[in-house]
Amino acid sequence: MKRVLLAASIALLAITATAGARSLAVPTKQPGKLIVGFDLPAPAFWNGRATGTTIKNPSGFEYALSQAIAKKLGISKVQYLRAPFGGLFSPAPKKFDFAFEEVTITAERAKVVSFSTGYFDANQGVLIRKGLKKPTSLAALKSLQLCAQSSTTGLAYIQHKLRPKKKPLVYSASSTAAFDAVEAGKCDALILDVPIVASQARKKPGAYGGVAGQIVTNEHYGAVMEKGSKLKPYLDRAIKALIANGTIKRLVTKWLLNPIPPVLK
Amino acid sequence: MNSANGHFVILDGVTKRFDELTVLQGIDLTVDLHQVVCLIGSSGSGKSTLLRCVNLLEVVDEGTIVVDGETITNGDADVNALRRKIGIVFQAFNLFPHMTVMQNITLAPRKARGFSKEEAHSLARELLGRIGLLDKADEYPDRLSGGQQQRVAIARALAMNPTLMLLDEITSALDPQLVSEVLSLVRELANTGMTMIIATHEMSFAREVADKVCFLDGGVILEEGTPEQIFSAPTEERTREFLARIIEAGRL
Amino acid sequence: MGKFLHAFFSPLGFRHAVPQVWDGFQTNIKLMVIAEILVLFFALGFAIVRGLPGRATWPLRVLAVAYTDFFRGTPLILVAYVWGLGIPAIHAGIISNQSLFTYGVISLTLVYTAYVTEVYRAGIESVHPSQRMAARSLGLTYAQTLRYVVLPQAIRRVVPPLLNDFIGLQKDTAIITVIGVTEALAQAGFYSSDYFLYVGYTVAAVFFVILTIPFARFTDRLIKQRELRERAQLV
């Protein structure tokens, strides 16, 4: 009996020691604390209210994912820091450990920041205006007045892959202006990350014609880190574990895509 | 301490130009300690400029000026030290409008001579008492008449205990009835032995108080002498013309 | 029309938006107060440098002129971008490691110091040279003359244009939103994306107006007082 108890307590000690050791070993900017970057608006990814440099009452897909990752890394303290999207790809040192800002992994961006392994398949979604006949193929998109948000992969797709007849309307700053344009009928369809358009369509059902479909672009969202961050292997391991055990799929269905739009070919 | 010749102020060949205009041309003038020298002449004859050269408000182009044994025109004179020894009063009073009479008078003694607040205040009160304006000590200049402002300006200059006073037409901007109160003060100063150079239009006063009168015309001292000589028996034609005009205007 | 009114003026939206936008507006107030204090001091320094006599100080004067020319000519939003995005990227030690709020203060201060320097200069030059002449004649040094005679008169005169520039500064704190500071305009934007109403912007506008109206009225009153005093002196 004593032997069993001894063995059990040694095992328990070992587990807690490694858990503690794990959190100490994780190379965050401030030991024992994880600083996660976010930006608003990002409905369904980050809900809640920004205040000062942080966020109140947070919820949403990326919020929930960051909490799950912290648990996987064995870190109990998580701080949320507003990191404006416009400054993410500057060579400046980052004040966060990693940032979840619906950022698509690209080779150009990877030159200035480090990405985690992908945590979400970032297809482009097609949000159409009310009254438009639903396009059912990529070819049908070519004759529409499209719009996009500047510096996004959606815009890049339109300009380099799709090459429609009419030049797309481009909106800077946030996505709100682009959504307004669709609602006002100024453009026929907005090409933007599918979860973003899906959540917007869900929020304001009467304003748009719905999500006509998604375009497979073989792109993925990755967490943004300082170039050469030592956190990368730890983060990658955590993300892969969460994919493997189905956590991410569960969070996607809960917060983002329900139902899943058809793929346009 | 005088120079070898015993003169307190020596101007030697002083020339001053403003762009194309030559305002002073080869001025030679001496002033002895306790002497009162009056400069007369039409406007533009250079009287003000001459005074302003003596305290280095203007820099001469040619010639030298010696004050109390020190040549002030050789470029390395301590300007501030010189100006502490020389008091100047202007036609436009130039009191500091954002300060009371008391503050106007005590500013320079406190900041330029390092007097304490109490020392400066008692000095100012004494001066104001002597000129009969003690009750105005805490007033702002815009509440005083022109004559009172000018007397305060004189007190402000005297507060620095100068050894030489320069008075630049100090009654020309005053109403006639206020002129005499200012002139009385100047007369008193002269009686106490203050060395003064006075530019003035007040001929009767000049006649009464001056030891030497200089008539300036076109930037040159045309004639120089005792008041009797200049006013009663001028030798130069231009002097006579000038005095005739003055007498016609009823100012002599 | 009804939609426009609803989007910008919905009363229920107002009630919701006010606390959120107020949360951000406090940042605008902080930006403004700190920047205004810094501007008052730095601009006075530049104005004094611009007026320094003598050949030895010529390089300083040239620098001061270059500064005012450059920052009066460059849009505040560009200056904000350089500081908010550029400076952190050059890895220049402590300078690159400040908060976005600090960079916002720096941008506002750099630009408005240039404007206010000119205001001070105009004030200094409006003090009659005879004042300087009288002070120097008493034996006061250049610095003493500036401190006790010229500046007190100059500053009193330029309070209205100073206040005008500060009203401009107060409104321009909204521009700092572009570098990611969570101030009133940012909050208005977040509100609009959450609730599809632009009421947040209306609320922000109201806050700004409430802030600047007292300044504007105060300035008017000062100008009127000065006019009355000058008219009385002529009489």
Side-chain angles (χ1 to χ4, degrees), chain B residues 9-21:
Chain B
V9 181
I10 307 172
L11 279 79
D12 185 6
V14 167
T15 301
K16 174 69 186 170
R17 286 180 216 100
F18 288 111
D19 294 329
E20 301 296 305
L21 190 64

Side-chain angles (χ1 to χ4, degrees), chain C residues 33-49:
Chain C
V33 167
I34 299 175
E36 279 175 4
I37 294 173
L38 292 174
V39 164
L40 277 175
F41 283 113
F42 283 122
L44 187 58
F46 275 102
I48 291 176
V49 166

